[in-house]
Amino acid sequence: MATRSPTKRSSERTAWLVALALLLAIAAWWRFETLDRRPLWLDEQSTARVVAGSPDLVALWNTGSADGYLHPPLAYLGQWLATRGAPEPTPFRLRLPAAVAGLLSLALLAALGALVFDRATGLVAAGLMA
């Protein structure tokens, strides 16, 4: 049974990390390059109204539950936190939590694919999701 040397494993791991970093950089560019250039979709406009009309977390919870949770409560919370301190919720700030979550999900999918199958499979899965 042939085993790989520790230096070979280390170089493979380094190559995988570099490839993953490159994939995440491309995905970040895809997401952030036009994040504030497109107009808000109807559901994003609804979220902006909920977020702008909520001075605190209790109001956010009450307003979010009154509209039948158009979005999950954590989505409202992330967008509420991202828009705090701004006079008006901008498209960039409203979309920022979802964009960050999308990038994190790519990294987690690559790690899961590498753990369950192999590193190449993890990268392919994350690349397809990107």
Side-chain angles (χ1 to χ4, degrees), residues 93-110:
R93 285 179 175 246
L94 283 169
R95 293 174 175 147
L96 183 63
V100 170
L103 289 175
L104 289 175
S105 68
L106 292 176
L108 290 173
L109 181 62

Side-chain angles (χ1 to χ4, degrees), residues 54-107:
S54 302
D56 57 22
L57 290 176
V58 173
L60 179 70
W61 183 262
N62 290 334
T63 307
S65 62
D67 77 349
Y69 291 108
L70 183 63
H71 294 293
L74 286 179
Y76 281 131
L77 177 62
Q79 291 163 335
W80 184 81
L81 291 171
T83 58
R84 291 300 93 198
E88 180 180 316
T90 63
F92 182 86
R93 285 179 175 246
L94 283 169
R95 293 174 175 147
L96 183 63
V100 170
L103 289 175
L104 289 175
S105 68
L106 292 176

Side-chain angles (χ1 to χ4, degrees), residues 2-90:
T3 60
R4 291 181 295 202
S5 67
T7 56
K8 173 101 171 140
R9 281 190 301 238
S10 177
S11 66
E12 287 176 357
R13 183 171 187 257
T14 301
W16 183 80
L17 289 173
V18 168
L20 179 60
L22 181 63
L23 177 87
L24 291 175
I26 292 169
W29 180 79
W30 279 340
R31 282 167 174 73
F32 289 103
E33 192 262 332
T34 61
L35 202 60
D36 59 348
R37 292 187 192 170
R38 297 177 308 237
L40 291 176
W41 293 20
L42 187 58
D43 65 327
E44 292 173 324
Q45 291 173 12
S46 172
T47 300
R49 283 191 296 276
V50 169
V51 167
S54 302
D56 57 22
L57 290 176
V58 173
L60 179 70
W61 183 262
N62 290 334
T63 307
S65 62
D67 77 349
Y69 291 108
L70 183 63
H71 294 293
L74 286 179
Y76 281 131
L77 177 62
Q79 291 163 335
W80 184 81
L81 291 171
T83 58
R84 291 300 93 198
E88 180 180 316
T90 63

